[in-house]
Amino acid sequence: MNEKTKTPKKPKTPRTPMPEQPPFVRARNFLEVTLGYTAELAALEASRCLQCKTPLCRKGCPVEIDIPGFIARLRAGDRDGAYRVLRQTNSLPAVCGRVCPQEVQCEGSCILGKKGEPVAIGRLERYVADSFAAENGCMQLTGETTCALPREIRVACIGSGPSSLTVAGYLSALGVKVTVYEALHELGGVLIYGIPEFRLPKDVVRREVDAMRALDVEFKTNWVGGKTILVRELLDQGFDAVFIGVGAGLPRFMDIPGESLIGVYSANEYLTRVNLGRAYAFPEYDTPVTRGAHVAVFGGGNVAMDAARTALRLGAESVHIVYRRTKGEMPARREELEHALEEGVKLEILANPLRYNGDENRRLVSVTLERQKLGEPDASGRRSPAPTGETFDLPIDTAIIAIGTRPNPILLESTPELKLSKRGYIEVDPETGETSIPGVYAGGDIVTGAATVISAMGAGRRAARSIARKFIGEDAAR
Amino acid sequence: MPYRIVKRKDLIPGQTVLMVVDAPMIAAKARPGNFVILRVNDHGERIPLTIADRDPAAGTITIVFLVVGKSTALLATLQEGQDILDVCGPLGRPTHIEKRKAVICVGGGTGIAAMHHIAKGHHEAGNRVVAVIGARNKDLLLFCDELGSFCPEVLIATDDGSRGHKGFVTEVLQKRLEEDKDIEEVVAIGPVPMMEAVAKVTKPFGVKTTVSLNSIMVDGIGMCGACRCTVDGHVRFACVDGPEFDGHAVDFQELRMRLGQFRCEEKQSFDQFKARS
C-alpha cells in the first residue's frame, strides 16, 4: 500500500466501544442489538482520527466516502456538514454504518489499525446519519438539486435494494426524475426481506426511502420487472436509461436427499417469512414460520449468521452453524459472528451435510454430517475442505440452508437481448455498468452474484455516474 | 395504486367467491396459467391465486377462491368497491399451448375456475377442447356456462350423481380417452388427489398430461423456494419453473406433505379469526 505514510504514534485513546443490549437479553428479542454512539462517544471516537493527508480509508470504501472530511466536520461540531459529506457519495449512510464489513474496507485500511485499533468509522457514520435524521428529518433534503438540467431526464430502476436506491439517490440529487419499480409489497429489497430487524431496523430503511421521496423519487410496489413491466417497454415509454438491480434471487440447495422434508428451509424463505412477513409476531401477523427447538444453519456468511440469530430469537433451545471449513474462513462480517457466539449460537465446523432424515410424516428429525479436513487453498484463497469419511448425526427439527443463490430467471428470460456471463449473471462494462443493451445498466448481485450491500451500492454509484455523464454532462458526474 | 374489487359474487355461498379486480397492468399481460400473489391488509400474508380470467380492455382480472383459512376468509369479507391492498403479477410461466387436434381439460372443485382460463387459451389456439368437471354435487359445480360458451362438450361428474356421471372425473376421462383417439393432451387442475388420479389414468394412454401445482408460496418470484417440488427427480420451483408440470413426473406425495406443513399454524390463525368475527 502506501509505504511513504509514516507510522503514527500510538493513539492515546482506545477505540470507543458502542453500547449494545447484553447478549442474554437481546438473544430473545428482535430489537436492535447495537445502540449507537451518543454525541459524547462520537466526539471521543472522532478525536482519534489522524486526518491523514493521503487517507487509505477512503480507498477502502466502495463508494469513496470522504471519510477524513466527514470526521473533521464532526470534530468541529458541524454534524449537519458531516452528513452532507456522507450524502455526497453515499445515499444510504444509516444503512452502511450498520451493515458494511468495515473491517475489510475503510477500517481495514485505517493506518491506526496497523499497530492498534482502527477508527470506528462505521459507528461514526451511523451516528451522523441517525442523529441528523432524528433532529432534522429528511425533508430538509428537498430541493437540493445541484444543477439545472437541459431537459427532463427520466431513469427507471428495477428493484429497490441498495444498488437501485443508490442510483435513485445519486441521480435525483441532480434533478433526474427517477421511478423505482419493486416486485414485493415493501421497499428496500434485501434490506427489508433479508437483513433482520435486530441488525437493521426497518424504520432506518424507511427513513432512507423517505429521504429519496423528498427528492421526488417515485416508488411503485408490486411491479415485477420482466412480468408486470418489461425493460423494452420502459425504454419505449421514454425513460432515458434503465437500471437493473434485481438481486441474485434463487436460493441454492445442495441436491442431497431429504431437502424437501418439512422443516428444511432456504435461508431466503426463513428470513423472508420473519422479516418481510413479520412471522416473529404470528398470529398477530398472518405469515407463519416454524419455531424450531433444535436448529442447524448451513453456511458461514452473513445470511447464515442472520438466520441463526433469528432462530434463537424465535425461541430455539439450540442453534448450530454447520460450516465446511473453520471459523477463520467464514465470510461473515466479524461483528456478526462474534455477536452470534455471544448470544449462544454454537459452531459445528469442518462438517458437511450428507442427507436430511425425516419421520413417517416427512418431518425433519436429524441431519447426517460428514467430518471434513482442510486441504490446499482453492481459487478464492480459502483452504478447501475434503471429506474424511467419518459421519455422525445431529438431531434437529429445523434446517436452514444458507449456501448462496443463483440468478433469478424472471427478468433475464423476458429480456433475451441481455448478454449474460457464463455463470448466468448480467454482463456489464466494468467502468460504466452498461449492459449489452444501450441505455440499460445493471449492478449489484444480479451482476456479481451474492455479495455485500456496499458493493451493490458501489455498482449503483458507478452506473449512476455514467448515466449522469451521458445524459447531463461531464461536470455532473462527480 | 388501489386494486379495486369491481365485482364480487358468492359462487357457492359461504365457500367459494369470485372477484373481478381492477389491475390493468396485470390484465394486459396475463396469460392462461398465470397467477397473482395478493395480500389483503398490512398484517396479511402473501397468497397465490390462479387467474381465472382476464379482460385487458376493461383492465380487470378474475380470481376465484375457496375459503380455507384466515387469509381467504378475510379476503371474502371484502365487498364491491373496496380495495385489495396488494396484487402482484402476472406470475409463473403461462400454459404452454400447442396446436392439438383435441385437448381434455379436467377441473375439480375451485380448480375449475383456473382450468377455465387454460381451456379458453386452448380454444383460442384453435384446439378442440373437451371440458371434464367434477364436484361433490351439482350445486358445487363452477363455470359450467362459461365453459359451455366455447367448449363443444362439457362432461360432468358428481359424487352423488345429482348431475352428469355419478362418480369421479377420472372415470369420465378414462372412457373418453378410450373412445376419442384425437386427444393429444390432458390438462388437470384441482385437488392434489384428483390431479394425481388423472395422471394415473392418462399414463397408459401415453397422453401428455399437464397439472398445475398449488404449492405454498411466499414471494412468488423465485426468491424463497417454499414452493419447491420434485419433478422427474429434480427440485423445481412452482413459482418460476411452473406452476404447470408434467403430471407423470410430479412427486404428488411430497406435494401433499408440504402443503400440510403449516396446518397447526393455519388452524390457530383461522380459529382466532373466527372467534373475533
Side-chain angles (χ1 to χ4, degrees):
Chain A
M1 296 291 281
N2 192 339
E3 287 165 13
K4 283 178 190 164
T5 314
K6 284 179 193 164
T7 309
K9 284 181 206 157
K10 197 173 171 7
K12 290 171 194 149
T13 324
R15 182 173 158 109
T16 316
M18 177 160 54
E20 54 188 41
Q21 289 193 68
F24 64 93
V25 175
R26 71 184 193 234
R28 300 287 153 171
N29 70 47
F30 275 87
L31 303 175
E32 191 169 17
V33 167
T34 53
L35 304 172
Y37 279 158
T38 58
E40 293 71 31
L41 292 174
L44 182 66
E45 184 60 20
S47 73
R48 297 178 65 230
C49 175
L50 299 176
Q51 293 287 307
C52 301
K53 288 258 160 31
T54 29
L56 299 179
C57 52
R58 188 170 185 178
K59 287 189 188 140
C61 174
V63 296
E64 302 160 324
I65 291 177
D66 177 6
I67 293 164
F70 98 80
I71 295 180
R73 281 172 184 75
L74 190 57
R75 277 172 24 163
D78 177 14
R79 197 265 333 265
D80 290 6
Y83 184 76
R84 264 169 242 285
V85 172
L86 287 176
R87 282 293 298 226
Q88 269 171 23
T89 62
N90 185 347
S91 302
L92 307 168
V95 173
C96 289
R98 288 173 165 86
V99 305
C100 271
Q102 287 97 1
E103 69 269 22
V104 295
Q105 295 176 352
C106 53
E107 295 178 18
S109 310
C110 175
I111 198 80
L112 283 185
K114 295 214 163 155
K115 289 211 162 165
E117 285 195 288
V119 175
I121 300 166
R123 294 170 186 177
L124 290 174
E125 181 183 26
R126 169 180 166 167
Y127 165 77
V128 170
D130 283 2
S131 76
F132 178 83
E135 285 176 32
N136 291 290
C138 294
M139 296 307 140
Q140 192 174 316
L141 294 169
T142 313
E144 270 191 22
T145 52
T146 49
C147 57
L149 301 183
R151 62 174 176 89
E152 187 183 65
I153 293 164
R154 293 168 65 216
V155 172
C157 295
I158 305 179
S160 69
S163 67
S164 276
L165 289 181
T166 299
V167 172
Y170 183 107
L171 292 175
S172 59
L174 296 174
V176 174
K177 181 80 188 91
V178 181
T179 307
V180 178
Y181 296 89
E182 165 58 46
L184 295 174
H185 58 260
E186 199 167 343
L187 297 163
V190 71
L191 307 176
I192 286 292
Y193 74 76
I195 303 179
E197 178 77 17
F198 56 82
R199 192 150 80 83
L200 178 64
K202 291 177 186 71
D203 277 346
V204 172
V205 180
R206 212 166 289 132
R207 205 169 73 201
E208 304 274 26
V209 168
D210 285 344
M212 311 249 170
R213 279 212 180 90
L215 288 168
D216 214 17
V217 175
E218 185 185 5
F219 289 97
K220 289 171 178 269
T221 50
N222 299 322
W223 286 69
V224 184
K227 291 285 184 189
T228 323
I229 189 88
L230 307 178
V231 171
R232 65 175 171 278
E233 287 175 325
L234 291 168
L235 294 172
D236 291 346
Q237 284 174 18
F239 282 101
D240 295 283
V242 175
F243 177 79
I244 302 170
V246 295
L250 273 73
R252 273 182 201 281
F253 290 91
M254 297 169 85
D255 214 10
I256 58 173
E259 274 186 316
S260 291
L261 288 170
I262 296 172
V264 182
Y265 288 94
S266 74
N268 265 12
E269 179 185 353
Y270 191 75
L271 291 171
T272 302
R273 284 181 177 279
V274 176
N275 299 333
L276 181 73
R278 280 40 166 198
Y280 56 84
F282 178 87
E284 186 196 339
Y285 284 80
D286 293 336
T287 305
V289 73
T290 312
R291 288 179 179 252
H294 300 286
V295 180
V297 180
F298 301 85
N302 287 322
V303 175
M305 302 301 145
D306 286 344
R309 297 170 72 195
T310 296
L312 271 184
R313 284 159 175 77
L314 289 175
E317 289 165 37
S318 74
V319 179
H320 285 89
I321 287 179
V322 179
Y323 186 57
R324 297 188 297 163
R325 297 176 165 101
T326 67
K327 197 172 144 187
E329 286 86 24
M330 286 188 175
R333 192 171 179 251
R334 279 303 102 173
E335 187 179 281
E336 308 314 325
L337 175 58
E338 282 158 22
H339 277 155
L341 296 174
E342 283 171 16
E343 289 165 12
V345 170
K346 298 183 189 78
L347 297 185
E348 184 60 67
I349 55 162
L350 292 171
N352 200 34
L354 292 182
R355 64 176 173 274
Y356 299 97
N357 310 301
D359 63 13
E360 66 282 6
N361 295 317
R362 290 209 190 187
R363 285 193 179 268
L364 177 69
V365 292
S366 69
V367 57
T368 302
L369 301 171
E370 181 174 26
R371 188 57 74 203
Q372 308 286 303
K373 59 174 191 275
L374 282 187
E376 293 304 305
D378 65 8
S380 70
R382 291 183 298 179
R383 294 177 64 193
S384 38
T388 62
E390 181 202 336
T391 66
F392 59 105
D393 281 6
L394 184 67
I396 51 171
D397 53 33
T398 306
I400 303 167
I401 302 169
I403 56 161
T405 51
R406 57 196 171 92
N408 189 318
I410 290 180
L411 185 120
L412 308 182
E413 284 178 3
S414 76
T415 322
E417 316 92 284
L418 272 181
K419 196 170 169 217
L420 305 183
S421 70
K422 278 192 192 130
R423 295 162 62 221
Y425 295 98
I426 298 177
E427 217 167 82
V428 298
D429 178 326
E431 297 296 315
T432 64
E434 195 163 9
T435 67
S436 56
I437 307 174
V440 177
Y441 298 75
D445 286 2
I446 194 59
V447 171
T448 56
T452 58
V453 167
I454 188 69
S455 73
M457 292 178 58
R461 186 169 146 74
R462 264 194 304 285
R465 189 192 271 150
S466 42
I467 292 170
R469 190 173 286 137
K470 187 163 168 182
F471 294 101
I472 308 174
E474 195 62 41
D475 295 348
R478 52 179 161 74
Chain B
M1 193 176 70
Y3 303 93
R4 181 139 304 167
I5 300 164
V6 296
K7 184 182 164 195
R8 182 198 183 286
K9 193 176 159 195
D10 281 312
L11 296 183
I12 303 167
Q15 187 181 324
T16 308
V17 181
L18 173 145
M19 284 179 178
V20 178
V21 182
D22 187 39
M25 292 307 299
I26 301 174
K29 293 213 167 57
R31 296 288 171 269
N34 283 145
F35 64 93
V36 291
I37 290 262
L38 61 82
R39 211 167 65 111
V40 180
N41 62 29
D42 66 356
H43 280 41
E45 62 178 333
R46 298 169 66 87
I47 55 167
L49 286 176
T50 306
I51 298 171
D53 206 354
R54 70 187 194 280
D55 184 343
T60 59
I61 56 167
T62 301
I63 51 172
V64 173
F65 58 94
L66 181 67
V67 175
V68 286
K70 181 188 171 179
S71 294
T72 42
L74 194 64
L75 181 60
T77 63
L78 296 183
Q79 301 302 319
E80 270 178 26
Q82 289 187 295
D83 296 335
I84 301 173
L85 180 63
D86 297 299
V87 182
C88 176
L91 303 174
R93 289 182 198 274
T95 308
H96 183 73
I97 294 176
E98 276 180 59
K99 186 72 195 85
R100 306 278 193 201
K101 278 188 223 157
V103 177
I104 296 181
C105 292
V106 187
T110 317
I112 301 170
M115 178 274 270
H116 160 261
H117 200 201
I118 295 165
K120 207 173 180 181
H122 275 288
H123 167 71
E124 282 165 4
N127 297 338
R128 176 165 67 90
V129 180
V130 178
V132 178
I133 60 175
R136 286 201 311 281
N137 63 57
K138 66 175 169 40
D139 298 329
L140 304 179
L141 288 165
L142 310 177
F143 278 71
C144 289
D145 296 345
E146 288 87 344
L147 285 165
S149 72
F150 60 83
C151 297
E153 290 176 274
V154 180
L155 308 178
I156 293 171
T158 50
D159 294 3
D160 65 354
S162 52
R163 191 165 165 193
H165 171 79
K166 182 174 191 290
F168 296 125
V169 285
T170 41
E171 292 152 9
V172 178
L173 173 68
Q174 168 97 28
K175 187 155 173 276
R176 178 49 65 112
L177 285 171
E178 284 163 1
E179 292 166 357
D180 189 343
K181 295 301 163 200
D182 285 347
I183 304 297
E184 293 182 316
E185 184 173 350
V186 171
V187 179
I189 306 187
V192 176
M194 186 213 89
M195 293 193 287
E196 187 173 12
V198 165
K200 218 172 187 173
V201 167
T202 59
K203 183 95 192 210
F205 293 92
V207 178
K208 179 183 156 74
T209 300
T210 303
V211 294
S212 178
L213 305 189
N214 54 337
S215 319
I216 291 175
M217 292 185 188
V218 181
D219 53 86
I221 49 173
M223 285 166 42
C224 82
C227 64
R228 65 191 185 276
C229 46
T230 304
V231 181
D232 216 6
H234 300 288
V235 171
R236 310 293 297 276
F237 290 4
C239 66
V240 290
D241 299 322
E244 294 174 10
F245 293 104
D246 175 0
H248 297 143
V250 169
D251 182 341
F252 285 105
Q253 196 204 344
E254 179 187 275
L255 175 67
R256 264 205 305 274
M257 291 293 189
R258 288 190 63 81
L259 279 170
Q261 63 178 305
F262 292 109
R263 200 157 282 148
C264 294
E265 288 85 354
E266 285 160 1
K267 186 176 181 310
Q268 182 191 355
S269 204
F270 199 17
D271 287 347
Q272 190 180 313
F273 176 76
K274 285 188 284 196
R276 279 186 195 166
S277 52

